[in-house]
Amino acid sequence: MHLFKHQVFNVSGQTTGRCVQRVNPPQFSSCQASSIDAPETDAFKELVRLAVQKDPSLATLAEQHLAQAGINPAAKSAMLGPSLAQLPTSKKPPWLRQRAPQGQKYEEIFGQMRELKLATVCEEAQCPNIGECWNGGLATATIMLLGDTCTRGCRFCAVNTARTPPPADEDEPYNTAKAVASWNVGYVVLTSVDRDDMPDGGSDHFARTVKNLKELKPGILVECLTPDFKGDLEAVRHLARSGLDVYAHNVETVDRLQRRVRDPRAGYMQTLEVLKAAKECGVYTKSSIMLGLGETDEEIIDTMLDLKSVGVDIFTLGQYLQPTPNHLDVVEYITPEKFEHWRKYGEEVVGFRYVASGPMVRSSYKAGEFFIHAMIKNDKGAVQSEH
C-alpha cells in the first residue's frame, strides 16, 4: 500500500564518547580548556567502541588499529565486544569482508587529520568504505553533531541512550565549520542522534553549522542526515532553508516492520512527511533502508514508490548487521546480485535519480562522488544556461 498515493566524527571538544579536539587555543579559541586537557587515549578508545557498536563489521579493522595504538588486549576486548563470529546469526558471507583503505586522496586527508589533531570514526575505526569515500575526484567526510547519546531506543542501533543527554555544545556549529573548511573535502555529511530533549530537536544547531560552513567555504556541498525532529515540520523547513544541498532522513525499513525496528516515536508516515516538507523547500532529498530484517520484495517496492511519491531523489540500500546479541537478529544476508537488482529497479523502474545499493553501503556512502558529478553541478549548469 502506498501511503502517499520510500562512519562519523565530532569536533565539539567534549569527551563523553566524542572525539577530542586537541588543538592550540589560537586555532579554535572557543574550545573549553577542560577538553584540551582531557586524556586523548580515553576519548579514542570510547570513539572506537561506539563505532563498532554502530557497525560490528568494523571490529576486525578497529582491532588492528587499536593494536597499532599500543592498547592492551584486555582493553581492546572491552571496547570491541564480541567478534562477529560470536554474535547470533552473524556468520558473515564472503562479500562482507572488508578491504584495506588506500589511495592518494586517502593519504592526503589522513595527513590533514594528523595536522589538526582530530580523530574520526571513518579513520580511527577503519571503516571499510573509507578508501572509496576519501578517494576519487571529490573526497567526502561525515560529522556527528549534538553528542553521542540518543533520546530514542531503536532496536537496530546500539548507540547510547538517555532521556536527558548532556547539553549541546553551543560552540560546536562554528568549531565544526572551521575545521571542515580547512580540509580538502568537497562534500560533507552532517548527522546526529535524536535529541527529543531539545525544543526544536536540534534543527537550529544543524542550521547554524550549515550557515557557518557555507560562509567559510562557499563551494562545499553539504548533506544533513537528520532525525525527524519529532515531526515538527517547521523545524524541518528551518534546516532545509539554511543553505544545505541535500536533506537526508532515513525510513530505515518497510512499513510493516517499523514498530519492531524503530523507536515508537518514529514512524513511516512521519518520515514521509519530513521528506515531503524538505523537498517543498527546493532541496535534494535522500532516504535509506536496511535489508535483511524480514522484509519482502513487494514491501521494498512499496517503500521505493512511497519515497518517490514525496519527491525523494536519492535512495540507498544496505545490509543490516546485528550490533549486539540484544538487538534484532539478522533474518537474511542479501546477496550482491540482489542488491544490484534493487539498484537497477530503483533507477530504471521507480525513477530515483540515483540509487546506491550494496551490502556495505551506508547512508553517507560515496555521497559526494555521485551528487557533485551526476546531479548538483549539472543542474546548476542547466539553470545558468537558461539565463
Side-chain angles (χ1 to χ4, degrees), residues 217-261:
K217 191 172 183 179
I220 196 169
L221 297 178
V222 181
E223 172 184 328
C224 290
L225 174 58
T226 76
D228 57 26
F229 302 127
K230 299 176 286 188
D232 181 352
L233 298 186
E234 283 307 309
V236 172
R237 295 183 186 105
H238 175 60
L239 175 54
R241 294 170 179 149
S242 66
L244 58 77
D245 299 282
V246 184
Y247 194 111
H249 176 56
N250 292 340
V251 71
E252 307 294 9
T253 188
V254 300
D255 187 21
R256 175 177 58 87
L257 298 176
Q258 290 281 315
R259 291 191 66 84
R260 178 170 175 259
V261 173

Side-chain angles (χ1 to χ4, degrees), residues 144-336:
M144 188 170 72
L145 305 173
L146 295 168
D148 73 315
T149 303
C150 188
T151 54
R152 298 189 183 176
C154 298
R155 294 190 63 207
F156 67 90
C157 178
V159 71
N160 295 333
T161 61
R163 183 171 297 178
T164 308
D169 179 0
E170 289 300 313
D171 293 329
E172 184 176 60
Y174 179 73
N175 286 346
T176 298
K178 187 172 182 180
V180 174
S182 71
W183 303 338
N184 185 28
V185 295
Y187 194 107
V188 63
V189 181
L190 306 176
T191 189
S192 81
V193 293
D194 282 274
R195 290 299 301 256
D196 295 321
D197 58 309
M198 300 176 69
D200 67 349
S203 170
D204 188 59
H205 198 92
F206 268 97
R208 286 189 289 124
T209 306
V210 173
K211 290 174 182 176
N212 287 330
L213 188 51
K214 288 287 189 173
E215 288 175 2
L216 293 169
K217 191 172 183 179
I220 196 169
L221 297 178
V222 181
E223 172 184 328
C224 290
L225 174 58
T226 76
D228 57 26
F229 302 127
K230 299 176 286 188
D232 181 352
L233 298 186
E234 283 307 309
V236 172
R237 295 183 186 105
H238 175 60
L239 175 54
R241 294 170 179 149
S242 66
L244 58 77
D245 299 282
V246 184
Y247 194 111
H249 176 56
N250 292 340
V251 71
E252 307 294 9
T253 188
V254 300
D255 187 21
R256 175 177 58 87
L257 298 176
Q258 290 281 315
R259 291 191 66 84
R260 178 170 175 259
V261 173
R262 302 174 79 186
D263 185 282
R265 286 164 287 186
Y268 192 80
M269 281 294 295
Q270 185 160 275
T271 290
L272 294 177
E273 289 166 357
V274 165
L275 290 163
K276 184 173 184 287
K279 187 62 184 178
E280 289 170 348
C281 294
V283 297
Y284 295 98
T285 52
K286 176 180 173 184
S287 196
S288 178
I289 64 170
M290 302 170 287
L291 300 187
L293 287 162
E295 65 288 330
T296 66
D297 286 0
E298 291 77 11
E299 289 172 327
I300 296 171
I301 293 170
D302 283 351
T303 304
M304 288 187 180
L305 293 172
D306 286 340
L307 289 170
K308 185 68 173 65
S309 74
V310 295
V312 169
D313 300 289
I314 301 296
F315 183 55
T316 70
L317 306 95
Q319 172 70 51
Y320 166 69
L321 295 172
Q322 184 187 40
T324 77
N326 296 323
H327 290 78
L328 291 170
D329 290 338
V330 176
V331 176
E332 180 183 8
Y333 286 109
I334 311 301
T335 65

